Amino acid sequence: MSKVVALANQKGGVGKTTTAINLAASVALLGKKVLLVDADPQANATSGLGFDINLDGIYECITGQAQPADVILRSNDVKKLDLLPSSIDLVAADTELPAMENAHRVVKSIIDSVRDNYDYIFIDCSPSLGYTTVNILTAADSVLIPVQCEYLALEGLSKLLNTVKKVKSALNPQLEIEGFVLTMYMKNRLNNQVVNEVRQHFGGLAFETVIQRNVRLGEAPSHGKPIMLYDASAVGATNYLNLAKEFLKRNRKH
Ligand code: ADP
Ligand code: MG
């Protein structure tokens, strides 16, 4: 049985896309069949894996102009990794979805139609809690929340957690928090404080693996590659492989 994990945080620039690409690639390299769904109109996950951001993708699936099987792409570098791409057209989804039939479950029906082909499906959300994100949370089994190690890191998380709670009670009772991943960690007092705060607040839901700040992680997308294929010796590659191992360990009963 497959598991659908949404990467969400309405704050931009916290490491959602970097985590989506590199966790998905790592889980695939560890032998699982993985689909990465780019659900952000900025299409950073699509370009970050080296693909054109003008292709048909999730938006055309939402509007019924395409079937997922027609638009899903095979990763060039990672055998077990597929991508459902995005494009700027997806900005229209927030206003168009509400008028559609079964409006809250449009993304769910797309995901459900392909989920048997995969062990894990990761969905990279846009920095918003709008209609499309609610659709994604309705389609997901769990939410993975990247948190940047910075001042006021926890600010805004209660709004996200509240949205998750609402979706869980109204639309998707199975929805769970997969965990919190601390990103862009640097060894200094402020960052250590944030790590401690998140651990105190969320206990075991905080992943033990912390993603360090690493310039190679910022460079890899411009080469269209996950970090382990761009520079396997980078600390970012080690961090994300460790995160993937921890993720799979937590999900071993899955
Ligand atoms: P989001 O998807 O939440 O907006 P991104 O994953 O796009 O965030 O990250 C924001 C920026 O920070 C990007 O330029 C990305 O390359 C960079 N970045 C993300 N994680 C790291 C990291 N661990 N070390 C260095 N740069 C990072
Ligand atoms: Mg992003």
Side-chain angles (χ1 to χ4, degrees):
M1 227 186 69
S2 61
K3 184 169 190 183
V4 180
V5 182
L7 287 96
N9 188 332
Q10 79 278 17
K11 225 184 227 188
V14 298
K16 285 184 292 297
T17 302
T18 305
T19 301
I21 290 175
N22 293 303
L23 177 60
S26 299
V27 169
L29 287 167
L30 291 170
K32 304 294 181 186
K33 184 87 179 109
V34 177
L35 175 67
L36 172 59
V37 178
D38 188 348
D40 184 347
Q42 292 183 67
N44 292 335
T46 300
S47 58
L49 281 180
F51 290 102
D52 188 342
I53 58 167
N54 295 300
L55 301 172
D56 284 357
I58 180 139
Y59 177 71
E60 286 72 18
C61 294
I62 287 172
T63 58
Q65 294 160 270
Q67 296 300 311
D70 307 331
V71 293
I72 285 176
L73 303 163
R74 285 256 163 89
S75 156
N76 300 314
D77 302 298
V78 183
K79 212 174 73 189
K80 294 198 159 192
L81 177 63
D82 287 354
L83 170 75
L84 176 54
S86 185
S87 71
I88 190 70
D89 294 342
L90 187 65
V91 282
D94 264 358
T95 48
E96 291 175 7
L97 273 169
M100 290 180 186
E101 196 180 321
N102 218 349
H104 281 300
R105 294 194 159 80
V106 176
V107 172
K108 182 173 167 58
S109 74
I110 296 166
I111 298 296
D112 285 354
S113 75
V114 296
R115 67 180 291 166
D116 288 349
N117 302 337
Y118 299 97
D119 297 310
Y120 291 96
I121 298 178
F122 294 99
I123 310 180
D124 184 25
C125 293
S126 71
S128 130
L129 293 174
Y131 210 93
T132 307
T133 300
V134 169
N135 244 265
I136 291 163
L137 294 177
T138 306
D141 299 312
S142 70
V143 196
L144 193 153
I145 303 170
V147 178
Q148 186 180 346
C149 295
E150 57 160 11
Y151 183 56
L152 296 179
L154 297 182
E155 205 192 43
L157 282 185
S158 59
K159 190 145 197 254
L160 171 61
L161 295 175
N162 215 19
T163 302
V164 170
K165 216 170 167 184
K166 278 190 194 151
V167 171
K168 188 175 163 82
S169 69
L171 295 159
N172 183 9
Q174 277 125 280
L175 184 63
E176 284 179 349
I177 304 286
E178 184 72 40
F180 296 82
V181 180
L182 287 151
T183 66
M184 296 185 235
Y185 171 81
M186 279 187 295
K187 207 169 176 179
N188 62 42
R189 188 145 47 121
L190 172 64
N191 280 214
N192 287 333
Q193 225 171 309
V194 174
V195 171
N196 289 335
E197 221 177 313
V198 168
R199 293 206 192 293
Q200 267 169 27
H201 220 87
F202 300 111
L205 278 178
F207 279 85
E208 269 168 48
T209 310
V210 169
I211 309 299
Q212 288 165 257
R213 188 174 280 280
N214 175 215
V215 281
R216 302 303 254 173
L217 281 168
E219 292 166 5
S222 63
H223 297 265
K225 288 185 187 300
I227 185 70
M228 348 32 222
L229 285 121
Y230 172 61
D231 181 356
S233 69
V235 68
T238 308
N239 287 166
Y240 275 110
L241 275 167
N242 285 339
L243 181 66
K245 285 178 192 159
E246 191 181 348
F247 170 87
L248 289 175
K249 202 169 159 197
R250 286 184 178 202
N251 281 288
R252 65 181 172 268
K253 291 215 185 84
H254 184 72

